[in-house]
Amino acid sequence: MIAGSGTIFEEQFGIPSMVGAIVMTVLTIGTLLLNVNKIMSIISAVTPFLFVIMIIISGYSFFTSNLSFNQIISSSSKGTAATGNWLMGSLLYVSYNMTAGIAMLAVMGGTFKNKKQAGMGGILGGIGLGILLFLINLGMMSDLKGIESSGMPTLHLANQISPWLGYILSIILLGMIYNTAVGMLYAFTARLVPAETKRFKLSVIIVGILAFLASFVGFIKLVGTVYPITGYLGFVIIAALIISWIRSKMKKEAVNPELVKF
């Protein structure tokens, strides 16, 4: 995420990527020194704007494209994918998202006293993410040749419509990258050190600096290697969650069969 912010600063504003990476690192670390409720408020505030602007960009790119559906499919099949087929790629992306945000999701879910509300929030959030990904891919597939050399394809599409839209989207993307960076840094650090302790805050600073150093590998290279690896590792976490859920159901049934029904 830090590398991605550097890419946006360089491609859209002509500012060296290192400056963008430093700004994002400082903001991310600073946010995690606040409390979790403030973090969740920040995350929830930006997402609706991204939905609206992606509908505009994707719709415009798709309906103004000169390519037929068969040409789009043919062009997309020539690219190098992170995995052998689309189904595994989809599973890897879901797994990556769960792995990266599971600590933050656990905290957010814990703020709901009603389990049904927490579950519904997870379902709606997953549906929203799926719709957003569909819109992004719809727009990108309409101009595959144009986005080949771009580190931020959606930003390229926005600039094709209007430079002003490009600037607006860049700000929104930076906001979303910032949100993701906060969630990932919190999730990773919380696995190492208990949250809301002095050691946690010190660990956040250390891990944040290490993440900044790792950003020099390059955004495109990181996306192509780290995301799939994290996705494969996430399958283990997903399996553990499913097994834990089944065991909890079985224990409740063993205590009182009338309390829990599948």
Side-chain angles (χ1 to χ4, degrees), residues 7-222:
T7 300
I8 292 177
F9 269 77
E10 186 172 16
E11 289 190 2
Q12 186 65 33
F13 303 106
I15 300 173
S17 59
M18 182 181 291
V19 175
I22 292 173
V23 170
M24 187 58 64
T25 302
V26 172
L27 286 174
T28 302
I29 293 174
T31 301
L32 284 176
L33 299 181
L34 303 173
N35 61 54
V36 174
N37 289 329
K38 289 183 179 180
I39 295 172
M40 289 189 289
S41 297
I42 294 170
I43 291 174
S44 61
V46 183
T47 306
F49 295 100
L50 181 64
F51 262 96
V52 173
I53 200 167
M54 284 312 306
I55 291 173
I56 295 172
I57 294 172
S58 301
Y60 180 88
S61 300
F62 182 78
F63 288 110
T64 58
S65 175
N66 294 323
L67 297 176
S68 65
F69 182 77
N70 290 332
Q71 288 175 317
I72 291 175
I73 296 299
S74 177
S75 298
S76 62
S77 62
K78 296 177 182 178
T80 303
T83 184
N85 59 78
W86 66 269
L87 180 59
M88 180 57 71
S90 301
L91 293 174
L92 282 176
Y93 190 81
V94 171
S95 176
Y96 162 77
N97 277 277
M98 290 189 64
T99 304
I102 192 167
M104 178 63 75
L105 292 172
V107 173
M108 293 174 69
T111 61
F112 286 88
K113 295 182 180 180
N114 190 315
K115 290 185 178 181
K116 289 185 178 180
Q117 289 182 352
M120 184 57 65
I123 292 172
L124 293 177
I127 293 173
L129 178 61
I131 294 173
L132 185 60
L133 288 173
F134 174 77
L135 292 173
I136 291 173
N137 279 277
L138 188 67
M140 290 194 301
M141 290 177 68
S142 302
D143 188 18
L144 288 173
K145 292 184 178 180
I147 65 174
E148 284 180 346
S149 59
S150 176
M152 285 287 169
T154 52
L155 195 56
H156 168 81
L157 295 175
N159 282 307
Q160 291 292 100
I161 301 173
S162 169
W164 283 106
L165 188 59
Y167 284 113
I168 294 173
L169 179 61
S170 64
I171 299 300
I172 294 176
L173 285 177
L174 285 172
M176 296 305 296
I177 287 174
Y178 159 70
N179 292 339
T180 306
V182 169
M184 292 177 68
L185 183 57
Y186 180 91
F188 182 81
T189 310
R191 291 190 185 115
L192 304 176
V193 181
E196 298 182 3
T197 62
K198 292 182 179 180
R199 286 196 305 140
F200 177 78
K201 292 183 177 181
L202 178 61
S203 299
V204 163
I205 295 173
I206 295 172
V207 174
I209 293 173
L210 292 175
F212 168 73
L213 296 175
S215 68
F216 288 102
V217 175
F219 179 65
I220 296 177
K221 189 173 182 179
L222 283 172

